[in-house]
Amino acid sequence: MMKLSSIFRKKTKAADDGPANSASETDVFQGTAKKRVSLARSRVAFVTVAFVAVYAIIGGRLVHYSLAKEDGTVARAAMPLTLARRPDIVDRNGAIMATDVRMMSLYADPSMITSADDVLEALKPIFPDLDVARAYRLLNSKGEFVWLKRQITPKQQSQVLAAGVPGVGFRPEVRRFYPGGPEAAHILGLVDIDNRGLSGIERYMDQSDGISSLMGLGLTGSMGLEPFETSLDLRAESIVRDTLVRGVKKFEALGATGIILDADTGEVVALASYPDFDPNNPPPASDERMLNHAITGVYEMGSTFKLFTLAMGLESGKFNLQSMVDAKTPLYFGSSRIGDDHAQNRILTYPEVFTYSSNIGASRIAGAVGPDYQKNFLEKLGLLEKIDTEIGGSGTPQKPQKWGGVFSATVSFGQGITTTPLQTAAAAAAIVNGGKLFPPTFLPRTPEEADQIATRVISEETSDKMRYLLRLNGTDGSGRNGQVPGYRVGAKTGTSEKIIDGKYAHDHNFNAFLAAFPMDDPRYVVLVTIDDPKKVEGVPGRTAAWNAGPMAGEIIRRTAPLLGVDPDFGADGEALLASY
């Protein structure tokens, strides 16, 4: 019995020990599983951190490349998804004046170049103007991208490929191209190497349409940008420039300007200043050719100012076309003497003051209306203050510090006051178009839009009479050499002596010829100036009637049919002269 009970107790103890051993094995298994899960999580975290670190490095490098300067060791590293483009600039008929063309630029990866000398030895014959010192510095830099030559030709690209230069490549860019070369160069302006507007219409377009901001975001390459339309007529622009070039050469002048202005809207149809430049290969900004003399230059416009003086006399009510003006003797203001180049030494009719271009008569008209009226009248015409246009760069007129006496007298015939050719043309348009002054513009403008911003400066009655005087001077006065059969040109000449070393030089002139056509209903105003023309063989004189006049006539003859003005050879065309 004792043995059986002992055995029973042993079996019972063994049965009790069995479950305890099984629980221990389960704990071991669970611990191992937890370790495996923890290890897997650690690996996932490690991989995630690694990916984040790699992409952070890549992002940092991209930012670094985008911010690096072109002339430093690193430039843009990633190929742009789009190319920064600009809208085409077109004339009033849709002719392209500026557009973008696809170009290639040469870059290098310094990390892949073992010998900068070998690379430069291969590139120098292809690019003779390459800045070797700069290129050598860039090729030996620690960066991975540097520009070597921007906007190369297809021939240069093929030569680089044929040379097998290691460590260099090509990237597409766009370059601004001006099909007309120097035509309208001063109006269109320039862009920089990155296709951003620097001057002229190019700069205005960036500022007004936000093109530069879109380019900075890389959006313009994929956008369907509408052409930017101007008021210019490229055909007329080409004719004006051609006339100036030939005139400067013929008369051995320093330069010339030409303007065609729509009398009913203030639109600039053509404007040229010569010498000029080719915007496809522009000179330095300090080069004299970069100056737009039609807008930036201010000049004494001489007797063209008598147009404004006689309009002022009529508008004041103190004179009419039947008035008589004493021009028998010169006028004296202290030691200053005012006389006439074509002195008649008699009392002149009001129209004769204009056709004989009498300084004495103009001075007497100014004296009669008074200095305050004169100043206010010229101010209303926009001749005393700087004018604003879309292309900027307007010159600031110089006016007398005080009005009255000899100062008012000389201003009446265009001395002692300077203006730009463009604002002179704009003021003249107001005199002939019925009395409305329009700010000149290089953008399209309808007559309705023009009327909304117009300023009335003279009455329609005064304007009618001034058209008569201009036409009379065109047929019987100094404007005869600017006549074109069938177009009834009205005109006024201006020959002013240039100031050299503080004194008026009798043998150096600045000449102007102001015209409008057709005078019974003027559509366009034309102004031509020529700086310091010489007397040449076969031409009787060197005043405006003999150089600026024929040049203006040539412009009218060639452009009038293109601008939709039909010639009228009938007697009805001269009804204006018969009306007074």
Side-chain angles (χ1 to χ4, degrees), residues 252-265:
E252 302 173 10
L254 297 179
T257 70
I259 299 169
I260 302 178
L261 194 69
D262 189 311
D264 293 324
T265 63

Side-chain angles (χ1 to χ4, degrees), residues 305-314 350 362 365-366 411-413:
F305 250 61
K306 288 169 185 164
L307 173 69
F308 311 127
T309 298
L310 269 75
M312 175 182 67
L314 294 173
Y350 205 78
I365 293 171
V411 165
S412 73
F413 54 86

Side-chain angles (χ1 to χ4, degrees), residues 113 118 220 430 493:
I113 294 174
D118 291 344
T220 58
T493 56

Side-chain angles (χ1 to χ4, degrees), residues 273-543:
S273 174
Y274 185 80
D276 52 19
F277 63 96
D278 185 352
N280 296 307
N281 186 27
S286 58
D287 193 293
E288 179 70 17
R289 292 171 293 170
M290 299 292 284
L291 183 63
N292 185 350
H293 291 271
I295 294 179
T296 303
V298 291
Y299 308 96
E300 291 188 348
M301 299 300 293
S303 291
T304 58
F305 250 61
K306 288 169 185 164
L307 173 69
F308 311 127
T309 298
L310 269 75
M312 175 182 67
L314 294 173
E315 188 69 12
S316 70
K318 294 181 179 293
F319 297 89
N320 56 50
L321 291 183
Q322 288 70 46
S323 296
M324 308 299 289
V325 182
D326 185 0
K328 291 183 292 186
T329 59
L331 297 176
Y332 289 90
F333 296 89
S335 59
S336 299
R337 176 185 180 275
I338 293 176
D340 287 340
D341 291 335
H342 307 285
Q344 301 301 301
N345 301 315
R346 61 179 174 84
I347 293 177
L348 302 177
T349 65
Y350 205 78
E352 284 179 329
V353 172
F354 200 65
T355 56
Y356 285 119
S357 197
S358 172
N359 294 341
I360 300 171
S363 298
R364 289 200 181 276
I365 293 171
V369 302
D372 291 337
Y373 191 94
Q374 181 189 38
K375 179 183 177 183
N376 292 336
F377 186 79
L378 295 178
E379 221 163 37
K380 282 199 303 182
L381 286 172
L383 292 168
L384 300 186
E385 301 296 335
K386 178 179 178 180
I387 63 171
D388 291 324
T389 67
E390 295 83 6
I391 67 174
S394 298
T396 302
Q398 297 176 2
K399 54 192 175 184
Q401 293 184 349
K402 62 178 182 178
W403 294 79
V406 67
F407 302 106
S408 291
T410 57
V411 165
S412 73
F413 54 86
Q415 284 189 1
I417 185 171
T418 65
T419 58
T420 69
L422 179 58
Q423 67 186 142
T424 303
I431 298 297
V432 303
N433 69 11
K436 297 177 181 179
L437 179 67
F438 305 117
T441 181
F442 291 93
L443 304 183
R445 180 191 288 162
T446 65
E448 293 74 22
E449 292 170 338
D451 282 339
Q452 292 178 1
I453 59 174
T455 301
R456 177 161 293 282
V457 291
I458 59 173
S459 67
E460 291 188 12
E461 181 183 2
T462 297
S463 180
D464 287 342
K465 293 175 181 177
M466 291 309 302
R467 288 201 294 268
Y468 163 76
L469 291 180
L470 279 165
R471 181 59 183 146
L472 183 66
N473 191 59
T475 57
D476 299 344
S478 60
R480 291 188 296 270
N481 291 339
Q483 292 306 300
V484 181
Y487 288 102
R488 305 182 301 282
V489 178
K492 184 69 188 82
T493 56
T495 300
S496 61
E497 296 175 349
K498 294 182 66 175
I499 298 177
I500 299 178
D501 297 329
K503 297 180 180 179
Y504 284 103
H506 299 294
D507 54 348
H508 295 278
N509 294 341
F510 181 85
N511 296 346
F513 193 91
L514 183 61
F517 71 96
M519 280 316 300
D520 51 319
D521 183 18
R523 293 277 305 280
Y524 297 99
V525 169
V526 175
L527 176 62
V528 171
T529 71
I530 185 165
D531 187 3
D532 207 1
K534 307 300 186 294
K535 189 178 183 303
V536 298
E537 186 177 354
V539 179
R542 57 181 177 82
T543 59

